[in-house]
Amino acid sequence: MTSPRHLLDFEGYGRDDVLSILDAAEAFFEVSRRPVRKVPTLRGKTIINLFYENSTRTRTSFELAGKRLSADVVNMSVAASSVKKGETLSDTVRTLEAMQPDVIVMRHGASGAPHFVAKRVRCAVVNAGDGTHAHPTQALLDAFTIRRRVGRLDNLIVAICGDIAHSRVARSAAELLALFGAEVRVTGPRTLLPRDAAALGVRVMPTLESALEGVDVVMMLRIQQERLGGTRLPSLREYSRTFGLNRELLGLAKPGALVMHPGPMNRGVEISPEVADGPSSAVLDQVEAGVAVRMAVLYRMAGEGASNPAEA
Ligand code: CP
């Protein structure tokens, strides 16, 4: 089976594809710690970052990833573009495609927008988060971080807590972890739990306490106020009391369990500051991994022919 041309979600990707991206990311991780953080791997290649939604981590790390690979990187600001004059997504991407990019990295508020674009362009498309559907590079960087900090990816017990229904991070994490035999538990307020838990292959747990019992990894998620629509929580204080992770509750997990959060965090809501900044936290490791993993993804999408990714 040939490798998928795009990275939209994990459809068509197997365990070996994921491991190959993580292994390339290991080589690139070291590049970012050198005094000169640049390799010529993607010299002459062009990457366009097209973000219709706000982002700090994903947008910056894709930009750094492209630049550290020596690609020409264009960050298109949607707010200052002809999108504001009413140009459609289809016309926007066909216009960008006419400038011959090798990769379009895109984030969009509508689930499926990157699939729509992938059908209309010849270049590779990388999904940097679409609506409530998928965020595959987040799942890859989480896997990279887990493999480094826990020492393995196989057969883990992972709890994902919070607004699961609106979380593309939870969906992509569940999809990837399933390839490695994980038991994935989810918990959160009933209105924010997924209707398709069985299809996702996750176990719905009634309380944070039951979800945390004996886990190797806990991923805390932000309440996504921007996607809640009519769904309302009684109060953030109540939410924090019921589903907020603190040091005492973390004691229910396996000794040495890893605490993850994709960011941005609401400190004091889903995670206490002492846990967010404590020794179990992998939050900043995740951010650092984001650059290496996105270098590996861009290399896979645009870097055919280069043998050693970190030296090419
Ligand atoms: N994790 C994540 O997607 O963060 P940003 O929204 O800041 O990119």
Side-chain angles (χ1 to χ4, degrees):
M1 191 168 156
T2 55
S3 309
R5 195 159 62 86
H6 309 288
L7 178 58
L8 307 176
D9 49 33
F10 290 117
E11 193 178 332
Y13 282 77
R15 197 186 144 91
D16 288 348
D17 295 298
V18 170
L19 289 174
S20 138
I21 293 170
L22 299 188
D23 291 345
E26 287 290 348
F28 289 128
F29 187 83
E30 179 267 325
V31 171
S32 290
R33 290 191 169 188
R34 291 179 190 167
V36 178
R37 293 177 279 279
K38 212 171 183 70
V39 287
T41 312
L42 292 189
R43 195 163 47 199
K45 303 287 183 179
T46 304
I47 296 159
I48 298 181
N49 290 328
L50 178 61
F51 277 61
Y52 283 78
E53 276 192 336
N54 296 340
S55 168
T56 296
R57 283 146 281 268
T58 313
R59 199 170 70 134
T60 310
S61 58
F62 264 116
E63 181 176 354
L64 283 175
K67 287 180 171 168
R68 288 183 184 170
L69 291 168
S70 302
D72 294 312
V73 181
V74 177
N75 294 303
M76 212 191 90
S77 164
V78 167
S81 75
S82 290
V83 170
K84 294 293 167 194
K85 300 175 197 162
E87 189 157 57
T88 64
L89 177 59
S90 175
D91 281 336
T92 299
V93 293
R94 288 174 65 214
T95 299
L96 296 176
E97 154 101 324
M99 300 180 206
Q100 310 297 335
D102 296 283
V103 183
I104 292 178
V105 176
M106 67 172 292
R107 171 172 287 192
H108 202 285
S111 300
H115 293 73
F116 174 89
V117 169
K119 289 195 184 109
R120 284 162 178 78
V121 296
R122 291 180 304 278
C123 67
V125 177
V126 176
N127 182 2
D130 63 326
T132 59
H133 170 239
H135 196 349
T137 59
Q138 179 70 44
L140 286 164
L141 75 87
D142 288 344
F144 181 87
T145 305
I146 292 170
R147 193 171 74 164
R148 282 198 143 221
R149 289 274 305 249
V150 179
R152 67 178 212 280
L153 261 184
D154 284 305
N155 305 318
L156 295 166
I157 309 177
V158 180
I160 310 180
C161 311
D163 179 0
I164 310 295
H166 298 99
S167 177
R168 55 198 180 202
V169 172
R171 274 173 198 281
S172 287
E175 217 181 332
L176 186 153
L177 289 166
L179 297 173
F180 295 89
E183 175 189 330
V184 179
R185 305 172 183 169
V186 298
T187 195
R190 283 165 74 94
T191 49
L192 300 181
L193 288 174
R195 293 203 182 133
D196 56 347
L200 276 176
V202 298
R203 281 179 69 193
V204 176
M205 309 300 281
T207 60
L208 179 58
E209 288 79 354
S210 59
L212 288 173
E213 199 74 53
V215 294
D216 298 288
V217 178
V218 49
M219 294 184 183
M220 300 308 294
L221 301 178
R222 175 177 73 91
I223 294 294
Q224 301 190 54
Q225 301 282 7
E226 72 274 24
R227 293 190 218 283
L228 280 181
T231 316
R232 289 279 172 264
L233 293 168
S235 80
L236 285 183
R237 233 171 99 182
E238 174 64 21
Y239 177 82
S240 173
R241 249 201 311 266
T242 320
F243 291 104
L245 182 65
N246 57 35
R247 201 162 48 186
E248 192 188 337
L249 287 173
L250 184 58
L252 296 167
K254 270 194 192 146
L258 200 62
V259 176
M260 307 182 82
H261 194 305
M265 291 186 281
N266 294 314
R267 287 169 178 268
V269 179
E270 72 270 12
I271 189 165
S272 70
E274 60 178 1
V275 173
D277 301 326
S280 305
S281 173
V283 171
L284 294 178
D285 293 340
Q286 291 172 265
V287 176
E288 185 174 11
V291 178
V293 162
R294 286 167 179 135
M295 287 171 85
V297 167
L298 294 175
Y299 168 67
R300 186 181 174 99
M301 296 295 143
E304 75 281 359
S307 52
N308 183 336
E311 285 175 9

